[in-house]
Amino acid sequence: MHPFDSVLSAMQIRSSLFVRMQAHAPWAISFDSGAQARLVVIAKGRGWFTHAGYPPVVVQQGDCLIIKQGVMGILGDAPDRVAVPCWHIADHVTGEAVSFGGDGEACEFFSTLFSFDHAAGEPLSALLPDVVQVAMPESDAGRMVSILEQIGIEEAHESLGGSYVVGRLLDVLFIQAIRTWASAEGNMPEGWLAGLTHRQLSQTLHRIHADLAHPWTLDQLARSASMSRSTFAALFKSVVGIPPLTYIATWRIYQAKLILASGQSITTAAEQTGYGSDIALSRAFKVATGMSPGQWRREQTM
């Protein structure tokens, strides 16, 4: 499985509080997603989005916002409006259109909270800014609105298997937004996604992810990329942001977290990530996270 696919699969994205909003100027709504992230898609019209420390930006039909958990933002018809909290407008409303604001120009948008397994989502979440703004191509924008409308239908009617359908539709929306954002010029950050799409490094990274437990050496990795050790190490760090062996260690700890979170033993996690013994894994795990594997697992269940 492609590393990007495996991360998305492990994240187990789930939606809640889906709502379609019809705002009329003057209007402004504040989003505070708390422990959940938020997806907003502008279906018609335009507005301004603001979040702390950044200048206001225009969002318009076809634009998509992914707002990370814990990030507050304001969407309105102008950047200086007094905002009404989202929950005042749409608390406990799902699958229905909610109108608010005045009697001026209209803006229609969809908003849904979504949550995911944060340990599983670490590699992707670390790459994304607090707010991802995506200007979708017209064809994709129309498709996203159609998918959101289908989510609204599923949420409203509570059909058989509806939660599963909503989950898969949300996966499609999220993946399409991330794809479009990452492919836009200047957006791809240094990190594993940059490495996986790099012409000279992608095959080597795929080999690493296919067998994280292998006792990789810098010589082996450089040979797989048909480069000298020094050239490979320098290129890898410039693209991915960290040295090759540090990268492998980081992903081994990530994989160990997934194994531990699934209820398997520390011994199993050590064997499947190449550490060979509980002691070796525990030592590396504590260096990376500041706690032992057992402590980390207990914190996840609290």
Side-chain angles (χ1 to χ4, degrees):
M1 183 183 289
H2 192 286
F4 182 63
D5 296 346
S6 65
V7 169
L8 289 170
S9 176
M11 284 174 69
Q12 300 177 33
I13 300 172
R14 299 170 295 277
S15 72
S16 63
L17 194 59
F18 173 89
V19 65
R20 181 175 191 156
M21 297 187 174
Q22 296 170 339
H24 297 265
W27 64 276
I29 183 171
S30 63
F31 298 121
D32 180 4
S33 304
Q36 293 182 290
R38 183 181 296 271
L39 175 69
V40 177
V41 178
I42 310 299
K44 295 178 183 177
R46 68 195 298 273
W48 290 82
F49 182 77
T50 308
H51 70 292
Y54 295 87
V57 294
V58 174
V59 289
Q60 54 194 346
Q61 182 173 331
D63 283 2
C64 170
L65 298 170
I66 297 175
I67 306 171
K68 290 172 74 169
Q69 62 272 14
V71 177
M72 297 183 67
I74 295 175
L75 182 63
D77 70 297
D80 56 355
R81 300 290 190 205
V82 176
V84 177
C86 178
W87 61 270
H88 279 186
I89 298 172
D91 195 21
H92 305 305
V93 176
T94 59
E96 299 177 7
V98 177
S99 296
F100 68 101
D103 56 5
E105 186 176 355
C107 177
E108 185 172 316
F109 58 95
F110 294 86
S111 172
T112 184
L113 294 176
F114 67 95
S115 59
F116 53 86
D117 184 305
H118 290 297
E122 275 181 11
L124 185 57
S125 185
L127 295 181
L128 302 180
D130 287 347
V131 177
V132 176
Q133 181 180 1
V134 183
M136 303 296 294
E138 186 175 343
S139 58
D140 291 337
R143 187 158 52 246
M144 289 187 81
V145 169
S146 296
I147 293 172
L148 281 160
E149 289 173 339
Q150 184 62 41
I151 289 175
I153 292 170
E154 294 290 340
E155 295 261 0
H157 292 90
E158 299 182 356
S159 303
L160 188 66
S163 61
Y164 180 83
V165 172
V166 169
R168 301 294 72 75
L169 292 173
L170 187 60
D171 285 347
V172 173
L173 289 176
F174 184 76
I175 293 166
Q176 187 59 51
I178 296 299
R179 273 179 176 171
T180 304
W181 172 79
S183 63
E185 186 176 355
N187 275 348
M188 178 66 79
E190 67 176 23
W192 59 281
L193 275 182
L196 287 168
T197 57
H198 191 276
R199 180 178 60 83
Q200 294 170 281
L201 295 178
S202 60
Q203 288 190 358
T204 299
L205 263 72
H206 276 89
R207 291 190 185 102
I208 290 171
H209 284 278
D211 190 2
L212 276 172
H214 182 81
W216 295 104
T217 66
L218 187 56
D219 282 335
Q220 288 176 325
L221 296 171
R223 283 197 301 271
S224 75
S226 302
M227 298 181 197
S228 68
R229 278 170 48 109
S230 59
T231 300
F232 174 79
L235 178 63
F236 194 100
K237 188 172 182 180
S238 71
V239 173
V240 181
I242 54 177
L245 298 185
T246 302
Y247 177 87
I248 293 170
T250 299
W251 276 87
R252 283 176 174 169
I253 295 300
Y254 165 70
Q255 190 64 40
K257 287 178 179 179
L258 297 186
I259 295 168
L260 293 170
S262 72
Q264 299 181 70
S265 68
I266 297 173
T267 300
T268 299
E271 290 172 349
Q272 293 187 13
T273 55
Y275 286 101
S277 71
D278 294 13
I279 294 174
L281 173 60
S282 296
R283 187 182 300 117
F285 202 97
K286 191 160 189 177
V287 168
T289 67
M291 62 185 76
S292 70
Q295 289 174 314
W296 180 86
R297 179 156 55 188
R298 285 193 294 273
E299 286 209 357
Q300 303 310 300
T301 58
M302 289 176 63

